Amino acid sequence: MKKVILFYNPNSGSGVFKTNLDTIIERYQKAGYVVVPIRAAHGTMINEYLAGLDKSTYKDEYRQILAAGGDGTINICVNAMIKNSIDLPIAIFPAGTANDFAYYFGIPDDINGMIDVALGENLMYADVGKVNNRHFINVAAMGQVVGVSQKTDPTLKNTIGVLAYYLKGMSEIPNLKPKKVILTTPEDVYREKMYFMVVMNGKSAGGFKKISPNSEINDGLLDVMLFRSMSVFEMPKVFMKLLKGKHYSSNKVLHFQTSRLRVESLDGQLPTDIDGEHGEKFPLEFSVLHNRLRIYIPGDGMEE
């Protein structure tokens, strides 16, 4: 019987995933697979397990990796896979506060729907972003707004989800000050004053479903959006455009695509975030691992 690795975070979101473990194991056993559960523990357990796989035989022994949790949990799993040169397809079980990566692929939000996709045969390639020595699946963010989200109480985050970020962010607006940065790409150099910026692999981040509506997750490019210095009175207008995916038209937003990017801060270290977790220190060097992952998706597969 082939095995599947189930890497799960019992504390993601409301923690409801734990009550569905038996359902997953039952359906996989009926399909003829042995489930190997690995509980998330700061990334150490999944890293140690993957490091111990026999590189010459693991593809014959294992069907896939199931990653259950939010974007941060999937990030840990992918970083462990890349570090240990493991190339198995991934099935995503969105069970966190932020499930933006799963949203891109249209993964169902009910447990049996997730299992149906995972036991299917439809696969799609996906890029992985890299910043300094770490990888990200969906988004890397930087700036003072990121610092606000990192101060949000984890219990509140799990209880009311994305709304917690909004409430905390609104309370901090009067204290925000633009920071000077230099963005260098193979194509251009930008000198800007920003409140925050995001480097996107997917389409949504932090609950904003249309923050990067034109992003393609397997085009070998990163979408960069920088929110420029603006008055407190201009912020609500830009915020409303952001909700509708029309912020590209604002002169307060810089947007471009690139395969490589260097970001330097002229105002010292700024808060950074990688897929919802604390990020890297400046300067930041970005690149792309094109088509590094294979993801199980609903409907027709797209092996490109």
Side-chain angles (χ1 to χ4, degrees), residues 51-227:
L53 295 183
D54 187 325
K55 298 300 188 293
S56 64
T57 62
Y58 78 89
K59 289 186 179 181
D60 296 322
E61 295 178 31
Y62 293 86
R63 167 187 164 89
Q64 64 192 171
I65 296 177
L66 311 179
D71 290 337
T73 301
I74 300 168
N75 174 290
I76 291 171
C77 183
V78 169
N79 271 275
M81 290 174 65
I82 293 173
K83 180 179 179 180
N84 293 288
S85 301
I86 297 298
D87 180 22
L88 287 171
I90 302 176
I92 303 168
F93 285 30
T97 303
N99 300 304
D100 294 299
F101 193 60
Y103 172 78
Y104 182 96
F105 301 104
I107 306 298
D109 57 8
D110 67 287
I111 193 66
N112 280 301
M114 297 175 199
I115 298 172
D116 289 341
V117 172
L119 286 173
E121 299 294 337
N122 300 319
L123 291 163
M124 180 177 180
Y125 279 115
D127 297 339
V128 175
K130 183 178 181 181
V131 52
N132 293 356
N133 293 317
R134 289 171 63 187
H135 298 87
F136 62 96
I137 53 167
N138 190 64
V139 59
M142 57 225 72
Q144 287 190 303
V145 174
V146 174
V148 170
S149 71
Q150 290 174 345
K151 296 175 187 175
T152 305
D153 181 79
T155 303
L156 182 65
K157 217 163 53 168
N158 287 336
T159 304
I160 63 175
V162 173
L163 180 60
Y165 292 115
Y166 297 161
L167 294 176
K168 186 67 176 177
M170 293 297 289
S171 70
E172 295 283 345
I173 281 178
N175 302 319
L176 298 181
K177 295 180 180 179
K179 300 297 182 180
K180 297 178 183 177
V181 293
I182 300 175
L183 279 58
T184 305
T185 74
E187 299 81 22
D188 214 333
V189 176
Y190 306 88
R191 296 177 182 271
E192 299 282 346
K193 289 183 179 180
M194 70 158 190
Y195 279 115
F196 76 103
M197 65 175 285
V198 292
V199 180
M200 300 290 303
N201 188 37
K203 291 181 182 289
S204 64
F208 291 94
K209 300 301 184 185
K210 299 180 180 180
I211 194 169
S212 188
N214 299 321
S215 290
E216 296 295 340
I217 212 158
N218 54 7
D219 60 1
L221 297 172
L222 298 168
D223 279 70
V224 181
M225 262 156 294
L226 179 145
F227 292 78

